Amino acid sequence: MIDEEAQYDALLGGSEELPSNISLSKFVACRSQEIQIMKNSLLTQTGSKLAFQTLPKHMRRRAMSHNVKRLPRRLRQIHLNQMKKSGMPTQQKRPSRKYRRKPRNLLEEYTKRANKKYKWLQTHIWHAKRFHMVEKWGYKLPYHACDKAFRACYRAMTQHCLLQDISYYSCVEIHGDKSEIIEKIKLLCKPGEGLSIGAKAFSEGNREGEICLYDSFQKAIGNVMFQWQPSIDEKCKLWLWVHAAFYSTTKNTLVECFKNCQIEINELRLELSRFRLSGPLSNPVLQDALALIDIYDIKLVPESPLKKYIDWPENKAVIINQCEFWKKLASVASLHEVSPHIVLPLIVKDPRLNLPKKRIKSVLTFGKLEFDQIPVNISANPLWDKTIRTYSNENKVSDSKIVDLQSGLLVPGSDLKGTIGHIPIILIQRPGNKTQNVGLGSGWDVILPTAWAKPFWIAFVMRGARVGGLRESDSMLYEMGKSQLLHPDTDAGFEEELRHSNQHRVTFFQKPPNKRINYSKFKIASPLLCNWRLLLKDWNSGFTGEFSVLRDKKQLHSINAFLNSKTHPVPQCPQNCLIPVRLECEKRGSLAEYAIICVPKCKSDLSEVLLEPNCEDVNKEKRKELRRAHQSLLKKLRKKRKLKSELASDDHSEILRSYTEKMRALWLPEPTTIRHSCSREVVGFVSKGGFSFSIGKSAGTGYITSDCLSELVDFRNKVLLRNTNSRQYKTANLSVIVE
């Protein structure tokens, strides 16, 4: 038997012996206090070094003190605690791009940015990636595309399809007795400006109309589009589509008008969106993108309000007529052949079910109209029901579910055959021009539930529609020969002109003095603003400060006949009015904004090259003297600063502000007269000018005073135009705009 090996203590002469085995749990429990002390000593830095300074040199990395993730994991919390104690902010690295671009996180980020000051359209994210965005009328709106698309958008309007999101037009619903609504709305309108809101053409709800609203003081607010609900009852609904520039004014006026009536006013701006398609291919784009429902094979939830609407026998017959009429419209070569402003409701399938894999171009199919007249009773629409609108907005299938269904297709890329969603929409025809360039600007307006705006938008884009912004809206009106949307006699139009003028002033004074245009030498009294009030005061000494744009169609036609005939007498027009006109240059040359419209003195002015005589700048020496005095004052202040350590900043800023205001007043002095500011009498301004692609030469739209018609007897429709940066007059043909 082998002797047991002697233990360490016995070898040293001791008597202590260790047991042959121990209990681990009891041993750790006895040493727990020692282990805890050791852990605390590791986590607590007792020395003067920071956490990253305790690392060996070969493990240290650059910017460890700023980026905690460069440290080993065991030292990160220690480093963060040290940073907090020292008062330095713990700057964390922003999440990765992959994390930020997840749809859920992306929508949360955009929701945070969408503040209450500026509202976003449903297509804002799509536009923000591709367009220059501007803040106007309480919205973030697309102005123009980032690429060079000016001519491309014009080609789309004339040859293809131009798509625009005009959801900044908000819908106001008026519900009550129809006759009472008509009587009250007529108080906000003026006779002679076209068909009224109670006209038979609109009262049945099969067409959309347009009127100009006035406030209680008979001051113009702006043009609104309206549509009646098809109903035979005395109580019905009226939709007003109001521009965002004067939406609040219109709403307050309507509330005041219906204050003591049993009329209900509701805002639908969050429930409905509106798109505008213009051009000859707008009809093929809609024909390809909109898949009509099968009335005999509808698989909806039985309790859904849309299912109940479709199952009603009368509604089922109307839906069949609507579908047949829409199929017949596929053979229309040009939309101006269709009855103008017709309202066509449809119920279509989810546009994501038949979305093409890549962008295609819809093709126009030529043919003849297969119907002689519009079917009766096709304007009934489920969107008038609030429960159906709410159901359509709240029961939209998510994009992820659509992707899951597409991934389960037997043949990848084929259309989905499910009945996931049925969406009620409204199509409204726009006839475009009716005289010159017939059909230019014609197309469809699409009204749909707000939640479905983006799927339909992508469906239209994938069929070849080119997207435009606010610049294209102004360009379309200009090419059609119409005046701009916001007239100068409205508050919205005045604010828009003032905002535009301030932008030009800022640009003007950002240039150095030797690069600025000296308008005094060109005898331009108001170069950066259409000063209508001063112009009207020059032509009428009894002007009180209030004016209006002439909208009476009979009077406008009478003025047009006077301009186009040598024997027609001067028409009687109200004083202090502006007449909307279109001007076309007879010869070469460009026409710019703020150009002045003048009356010739003699017939030789129209045949010869006419130049404005040279004029001296009377403020030139005053500007030099002011600059010398200002420089001398700055030298004195500089000497005072050397003697005195502190100088009151308020006095210094006030001196600079006063000098800037005086110098700007000498560059752009306040005009005292506009009519007699140059050698030819000024009768108006050009509010929009440039080269017109539709007529192939320079043209413009503007306004002239009604008091100047007697001066045009000898020249009729021949006037002179002059840009603000030129001395040369151009001959132009004048015509009145009658909308």
Side-chain angles (χ1 to χ4, degrees), residues 380-622:
N381 179 27
L383 273 182
W384 289 98
D385 191 347
K386 182 176 178 59
T387 57
I388 295 179
R389 290 197 304 268
T390 305
Y391 176 81
S392 299
N393 283 322
E394 294 179 353
N395 290 272
K396 174 178 169 288
V397 179
S398 63
D399 293 341
S400 60
K401 187 174 181 180
I402 297 292
V403 173
D404 293 340
L405 292 173
Q406 289 175 342
S407 62
L409 290 174
L410 183 62
V411 180
S414 58
D415 295 343
L416 292 173
K417 301 299 182 182
T419 55
I420 297 178
H422 293 77
I423 308 99
I425 65 172
I426 303 176
L427 302 181
I428 301 175
Q429 189 265 359
R430 291 182 296 105
N433 272 5
K434 299 178 182 178
T435 53
Q436 190 178 10
N437 293 322
V438 178
L440 180 64
S442 61
W444 290 101
D445 279 9
V446 184
I447 301 173
L448 65 159
T450 301
W452 291 92
K454 188 177 179 181
F456 278 92
W457 180 268
I458 295 176
F460 298 154
V461 172
M462 294 297 287
R463 263 74 179 191
R466 188 174 188 92
V467 182
L470 293 177
R471 185 184 67 179
E472 282 67 41
S473 297
D474 295 339
S475 176
M476 186 186 303
L477 291 174
Y478 169 70
E479 295 292 344
M480 294 172 65
K482 295 183 177 181
S483 56
Q484 295 303 301
L485 188 64
L486 303 177
H487 295 280
D489 63 335
T490 63
D491 291 337
F494 174 75
E495 292 175 2
E496 183 68 15
E497 281 190 350
L498 194 61
R499 184 192 63 83
H500 205 193
S501 174
N502 291 335
Q503 289 180 351
H504 284 292
R505 286 180 65 90
V506 170
T507 305
F508 177 80
F509 287 111
Q510 282 177 345
K511 298 177 182 179
N514 61 341
K515 299 296 182 182
R516 297 174 188 168
I517 299 174
N518 195 336
Y519 295 108
S520 299
K521 291 186 176 182
F522 296 106
K523 289 188 177 181
I524 300 295
S526 182
L528 303 179
L529 177 66
C530 297
N531 199 332
W532 304 111
R533 286 180 170 81
L534 183 56
L535 179 63
L536 289 167
K537 184 179 179 181
D538 290 341
W539 282 94
N540 184 9
S541 58
F543 179 67
T544 59
E546 296 296 330
F547 67 95
S548 62
V549 174
L550 189 62
R551 296 179 176 87
D552 191 293
K553 292 192 175 183
K554 287 185 178 180
Q555 292 181 346
L556 292 175
H557 281 296
S558 177
I559 297 172
N560 214 7
F562 161 73
L563 295 176
N564 295 325
S565 174
K566 295 183 179 180
T567 59
H568 197 285
V570 179
Q572 296 295 327
C573 295
Q575 293 182 338
N576 303 329
C577 281
L578 296 177
I579 303 171
V581 294
R582 178 172 173 82
L583 305 117
E584 296 181 6
C585 294
E586 290 187 345
K587 298 180 181 179
R588 298 177 62 182
S590 62
L591 186 60
E593 189 179 10
Y594 304 125
I596 56 175
I597 307 172
C598 303
V599 180
K601 279 187 177 180
C602 56
K603 292 186 177 180
S604 61
D605 291 349
L606 303 174
S607 57
E608 300 176 356
V609 178
L610 183 63
L611 295 176
E612 181 69 22
N614 288 324
C615 180
E616 294 295 330
D617 182 10
V618 295
N619 294 328
K620 182 178 180 180
E621 295 299 326
K622 294 181 181 179

Side-chain angles (χ1 to χ4, degrees), residues 88-191:
M88 295 178 62
T90 57
Q91 296 180 355
Q92 296 292 336
K93 184 180 178 182
R94 63 185 305 191
S96 64
R97 176 175 172 81
K98 181 180 179 182
Y99 174 83
R100 297 196 312 268
R101 299 303 294 180
K102 288 183 178 180
R104 174 173 53 83
N105 301 324
L106 194 64
L107 289 175
E108 289 178 359
E109 184 69 19
Y110 278 118
T111 304
K112 292 178 183 178
R113 293 192 210 169
N115 53 18
K116 296 181 180 180
K117 187 176 180 181
Y118 294 103
K119 302 179 183 64
W120 284 6
L121 303 179
Q122 291 294 318
T123 57
H124 173 84
I125 297 178
W126 191 95
H127 278 106
K129 298 177 182 179
R130 302 165 178 87
F131 275 68
H132 292 285
M133 308 297 288
V134 294
E135 298 171 351
K136 292 184 70 173
W137 311 315
Y139 283 86
K140 278 271 193 176
L141 299 176
Y143 184 63
H144 66 85
C146 294
D147 57 351
K148 295 182 179 180
F150 189 82
R151 283 178 175 265
C153 288
Y154 172 75
R155 286 196 300 269
M157 182 182 69
T158 55
Q159 303 174 16
H160 307 294
C161 178
L162 180 67
L163 174 63
Q164 295 170 289
D165 187 355
I166 58 169
S167 298
Y168 51 86
Y169 277 87
S170 301
C171 184
V172 178
E173 183 183 78
I174 303 175
H175 185 204
D177 185 72
K178 187 173 184 178
S179 59
E180 190 174 5
I181 293 175
I182 293 174
E183 290 179 3
K184 292 293 184 180
I185 294 291
K186 281 185 177 181
L187 298 177
L188 304 178
C189 303
K190 286 185 178 180

